[in-house]
Amino acid sequence: MPQNSVIGMILVVDEERYITDLLKYNLEAERYGVQVVTKASEVQKLDMSPYQLVIVDAMTQSYTGFDLLHDLKNNPATSYIPVLILSHSDSQDDIVRAFDEGADDYVFKPFSLRVLMARVRSVLRRHQAMTAPKAATKLVYRTLEVDLVARQVRDEGMLLPLTKTEYAILMLLLKNKNRFFNRAQIYDEIWRDQDRPANDRIVDTNISRLRKKLGAVAEGLVNQTGQGYAIID
């Protein structure tokens, strides 16, 4: 499989050859890169950083799949990697032990290939959702703190009574610090829904009102001839 087509790497740890061949074929068909290891103890020698998922059985060896699960989840360098347990055992004790150790899913052998692939996709989706960067909810500039969810601006803890238009102008400039916007550009961004020519006066009036409400912070809101308005660091 061409390396640039791989969407993720999966490590399969199992001593049953027909199982590993089946998983490798079907996972690669879904564009995952797959490495197979037959002994759980061999995983300790691997660089685990490329892997998005470990599928492990190897329960009959001296260093078992449970031992590997425990070590992966108790090592800060690998604890984030999801682990799906395959097992012939349907013992409640084994199932509880697996989840207590941090397993992300537990699948019985023999398994439905269709169901297993769905479980793999589900584990990967959950992991991606948990590790995805969270959208910022606050923005800070000098003594200002902006709550992007509540759309409120505070200066040293005091709520500033900004209008919707003043807030929109402030956000445009704060999110593009050190970039100048001329009046026409500001008008197009803030009053884009109004089907009429740009109005320099309405831009200047709203920025003048915004300056007054910002107090000392307004020193960072500059106007340069020929360039326009900007908030600078």
Side-chain angles (χ1 to χ4, degrees), residues 187 191 194-199 202:
Y187 188 87
W191 289 274
Q194 299 192 23
D195 187 19
R196 58 185 182 185
N199 186 323
I202 195 173

Side-chain angles (χ1 to χ4, degrees), residues 28-44:
E28 287 183 344
E30 297 207 10
R31 297 175 54 210
Y32 292 104
V34 179
Q35 179 169 355
V36 173
V37 176
T38 57
K39 293 184 179 180
S41 58
E42 294 177 357
V43 177
Q44 296 174 311

Side-chain angles (χ1 to χ4, degrees), residues 116-135:
L116 177 62
M117 296 300 291
R119 302 281 274 273
V120 166
R121 289 190 292 268
S122 178
V123 169
L124 289 169
R125 280 197 304 269
R126 290 200 305 270
H127 178 66
Q128 289 166 358
M130 290 172 61
T131 58
K134 301 295 188 293

Side-chain angles (χ1 to χ4, degrees), residues 27-89:
L27 289 169
E28 287 183 344
E30 297 207 10
R31 297 175 54 210
Y32 292 104
V34 179
Q35 179 169 355
V36 173
V37 176
T38 57
K39 293 184 179 180
S41 58
E42 294 177 357
V43 177
Q44 296 174 311
K45 306 172 187 176
L46 299 177
D47 173 10
M48 297 299 294
S49 59
Y51 300 107
Q52 281 77 54
L53 174 66
V54 176
I55 301 174
V56 57
D57 184 344
M59 298 298 181
T60 62
Q61 301 171 2
S62 56
Y63 180 83
T64 70
F66 281 127
D67 295 325
L68 174 60
L69 170 65
H70 176 273
D71 290 346
L72 288 174
K73 292 300 182 179
N74 284 274
N75 182 347
T78 56
S79 61
Y80 68 94
I81 303 174
V83 178
L84 186 154
I85 296 289
L86 294 178
S87 177
H88 287 289
S89 172

